[in-house]
Amino acid sequence: MTWIKPTRIMRPGPRIQPSATRGRASHLHCLRGMVRTGPARAPLRLLPAMWNDFSHTFLVIFTSLLPVINPPGAALLVLGLLPDATVAQRARVARAVAFNSLVMLAASIGIGAYVLSFFGISIPVLRLAGGLVIAATGWRLLQAPAQSEHGTLAGAAQAEAREDVDATLESQLFYPFTLPLTVGPGSIAVAIAVGTSSPAEGPETVHVAAAASALVALCVLIYLCMRYAGRLQSLLGRTGTQVVLRLLAFVLLCIGVQIGWLGLSELLGLPGVH
């Protein structure tokens, strides 16, 4: 009997790549992994959360301060105190009041609570004193002579009145144009309350940027209303402007009394005061 030696079937083994090829493939594989799950996409995943924080902070500050400041009403009240001012003087007042408002609101949000605590002033006392100032300003506007009475002056007297306005304009830019007509104790109290409601771990960069953007937007609105209040005056006419100014002055008087009464009620501890 003849034995037949079985033939060994050779199967193709794995291809052995050269060392350079293996290194290049491994490098490409690592790069693909970094693109899929590496830290490069971490900032992209944080963008929605940062945008939510920014928009929330912006809307809280803007919507809280806008109805209290009331830029159109403040512009008409300032216009009532400057019946003989020129267009250039009103533009200067608008720039100064907008800048002063920005500084006051930023300071109230940032360090307002610390300043009040340093001097031992409480929010009710701030409201009471501010309410008295606002009520006094409203009473002054109610008792102010009508613009038609200024029109009966002679030409020399009108020129002298304009010079008086220009001479006292710088001293009136902060009080009463900025405080209390534009940024009153109500706005300061709201700004301080917003500033004290920051996160416990402290405000982050996105919160500071949102607060700055909200304050800039408010002050731009203040500037536009004060800058172009003359057009609203020409649209309403002399009689309509006087009617609106008297109504706003009465509303301002009521607001001052309300703010003062709220502060007094909190000091006396009266219940159920809203």
Side-chain angles (χ1 to χ4, degrees):
M1 178 180 293
T2 305
W3 294 91
I4 301 175
K5 187 178 180 180
T7 304
R8 185 177 181 182
I9 300 176
M10 302 295 294
R11 296 181 179 179
R15 294 181 59 186
I16 301 177
Q17 298 178 348
S19 59
T21 307
R22 287 202 306 272
R24 192 182 304 114
S26 176
H27 180 65
L28 291 176
H29 180 72
C30 292
L31 287 179
R32 293 192 188 99
M34 290 179 62
V35 170
R36 292 194 196 99
T37 60
R41 287 197 174 185
L44 297 179
R45 291 195 296 267
L46 292 178
L47 284 179
M50 293 176 61
W51 172 250
N52 289 336
D53 292 341
F54 181 89
S55 59
H56 175 74
T57 306
F58 180 90
L59 290 177
V60 166
I61 296 177
F62 188 83
T63 57
S64 298
L65 290 174
L66 181 62
V68 183
I69 295 176
N70 189 14
L76 287 176
L77 289 175
V78 172
L79 182 64
L81 293 176
L82 297 174
D84 300 317
T86 62
V87 177
Q89 289 173 339
R90 291 175 183 173
R92 185 171 54 170
V93 169
R95 288 193 300 268
V97 170
F99 179 76
N100 293 340
S101 301
L102 178 62
V103 173
M104 287 191 61
L105 292 174
S108 300
I109 291 179
I111 61 174
Y114 301 102
V115 172
L116 292 181
S117 176
F118 177 78
F119 288 102
I121 301 174
S122 62
I123 295 295
V125 173
L126 175 68
R127 288 174 175 169
L128 177 59
L132 293 176
V133 174
I134 292 179
T137 306
W139 180 257
R140 175 187 172 189
L141 288 174
L142 278 176
Q143 300 299 319
Q147 188 174 357
S148 59
E149 299 179 15
H150 293 279
T152 59
L153 298 175
Q158 289 181 350
E160 184 180 357
R162 293 193 193 96
E163 291 177 1
D164 292 339
V165 169
D166 189 49
T168 59
L169 196 60
E170 294 295 333
S171 62
Q172 294 179 348
L173 290 178
F174 183 78
Y175 177 83
F177 295 158
T178 303
L179 178 73
L181 291 181
T182 306
V183 180
S187 305
I188 295 176
V190 171
I192 292 175
V194 170
T196 55
S197 63
S198 58
E201 61 275 7
E204 299 179 358
T205 305
V206 63
H207 300 141
V208 175
S213 302
L215 295 183
V216 169
L218 281 170
C219 293
V220 168
L221 188 58
I222 291 172
Y223 170 78
L224 293 176
C225 291
M226 298 230 175
R227 176 67 178 83
Y228 299 104
R231 297 187 179 181
L232 181 59
Q233 181 186 22
S234 61
L235 180 64
L236 294 175
R238 178 174 298 178
T239 304
T241 302
Q242 290 301 317
V243 170
V244 173
L245 287 177
R246 300 298 178 182
L247 290 176
L248 288 176
F250 181 72
V251 171
L252 187 66
L253 176 62
C254 296
I255 290 175
V257 173
Q258 177 66 33
I259 293 177
W261 170 249
L262 181 60
L264 182 61
S265 301
E266 291 179 356
L267 288 174
L268 298 178
L270 298 179
V273 178
H274 299 283

